[in-house]
Amino acid sequence: MLLFSILAAAIAPGISLLTYLYLRDKYEAEPIHIVVRMFVLGVLVVVPIMVVQRGLEIWLGNGTFVASFIHSAAVEEFLKWFILYHVIYNHTEFDEPYDGILYAASISLGFATLENVLYAIYTPSSFGSLLARAMLPVSGHALFGVMMGYYLGKAKFAETRKKTKLFLSISFALPFLLHGFYDLILMSVEQNWIWVIVPFMIGLWAWGLHKMNSANAKSPFRLVTREEEVKS
């Protein structure tokens, strides 16, 4: 019973955030089976990421900067971006800018959820520590996914090839940098780190919500919905 409670507490934040992001799609809800598929892919990518990270740790060492930006941010964000680009970027259901946010967040939350479960099983965890992980790593991964997906959506619907390439580059570079700085704060600020990470997360949430609203506002289905409202 205790194990079940721990697992439920570890899984709940990722599912809750994914549900929230799914419901924010105002104009055309995505097929749930595709969202679940991307979430599962995020879960499955945990093992290859761990293998690559271990190899890089042996090769490059485990210094604070290297661990933050290479072992963690670069490996995790690149593999998530790679899957997103090759599986969903050209999919017919990716038909409005917000879809990029939802699918990228799905992969990120799949990864974060399994990571949270492994932490809960192998590390003595209290309700407080699991709550802290829900507020920090899990929501952090979700927001890195929001940034990735927002610019992937801009790339998908860009008017020129040059802009497409630019936005594709940003869709990896921005979450990579945000993730790296997030880890760097946690690893390098030994005392009173909470006074640094909390403003960082508040700013990231505000930025992420702005990106969600912006992506929804650019939906081609927004005009269709308005026309239907006028006719009715």
Side-chain angles (χ1 to χ4, degrees):
M1 191 65 181
L2 178 60
L3 179 60
F4 176 80
S5 299
I6 291 173
L7 290 176
I11 293 170
I15 300 299
S16 299
L17 281 169
L18 183 58
T19 302
Y20 168 73
L21 291 168
Y22 183 82
L23 294 176
R24 282 191 65 95
D25 191 350
K26 295 180 180 180
Y27 300 106
E28 189 185 56
E30 297 307 294
I32 293 179
H33 73 276
I34 300 181
V35 176
V36 172
R37 178 188 177 193
M38 302 312 292
F39 183 88
V40 171
L41 286 173
V43 171
L44 295 177
V45 81
V46 170
V47 173
I49 282 176
M50 291 175 65
V51 172
V52 173
Q53 287 175 331
R54 180 56 182 161
L56 288 173
E57 186 178 332
I58 294 171
W59 180 34
L60 299 174
N62 204 28
T64 301
F65 185 86
V66 171
S68 300
F69 283 92
I70 305 301
H71 302 344
S72 183
V75 174
E76 293 174 17
E77 298 307 327
F78 177 74
L79 285 179
K80 288 186 285 184
W81 181 91
F82 184 85
I83 291 172
L84 189 67
Y85 180 78
H86 287 282
V87 174
I88 209 69
Y89 184 74
N90 292 311
H91 199 287
T92 54
E93 291 294 343
F94 191 170
D95 53 9
E96 59 175 332
Y98 188 85
D99 295 351
I101 289 177
L102 180 59
Y103 291 131
S106 299
I107 294 177
S108 292
L109 285 169
F111 174 86
T113 297
L114 182 55
E115 187 180 58
N116 215 29
V117 167
L118 294 174
Y119 174 86
I121 292 174
Y122 294 106
T123 304
S125 304
S126 63
F127 176 78
S129 65
L130 290 175
L131 178 62
R133 286 190 62 81
M135 298 299 292
L136 294 175
V138 178
S139 63
H141 276 290
L143 291 165
F144 304 148
V146 167
M147 298 302 172
M148 181 182 292
Y150 175 78
Y151 284 100
L152 205 74
K154 286 183 74 69
K156 172 87 172 182
F157 301 102
E159 297 175 354
T160 65
R161 189 174 182 84
K162 185 177 180 180
K163 285 186 177 180
T164 296
K165 290 181 178 180
L166 173 63
F167 291 136
L168 279 175
S169 299
I170 296 174
S171 71
F172 166 69
L174 182 58
F176 157 67
L177 290 172
L178 290 172
H179 192 159
F181 280 116
Y182 167 88
D183 283 352
L184 189 64
I185 291 169
L186 294 182
M187 291 183 185
S188 60
V189 181
E190 297 181 0
Q191 296 182 345
N192 299 321
W193 58 269
I194 194 139
W195 298 107
V196 181
I197 200 65
V198 168
F200 180 87
M201 292 301 297
I202 291 173
L204 194 56
W205 264 109
W207 197 9
L209 289 170
H210 172 72
K211 294 298 188 189
M212 293 179 216
N213 291 333
S214 178
N216 266 318
K218 295 172 183 174
S219 172
F221 302 107
R222 180 168 175 259
L223 297 176
V224 173
T225 303
R226 285 187 172 181
E227 287 175 1
E228 289 175 350
E229 289 176 355
V230 170
K231 289 178 181 179
S232 62

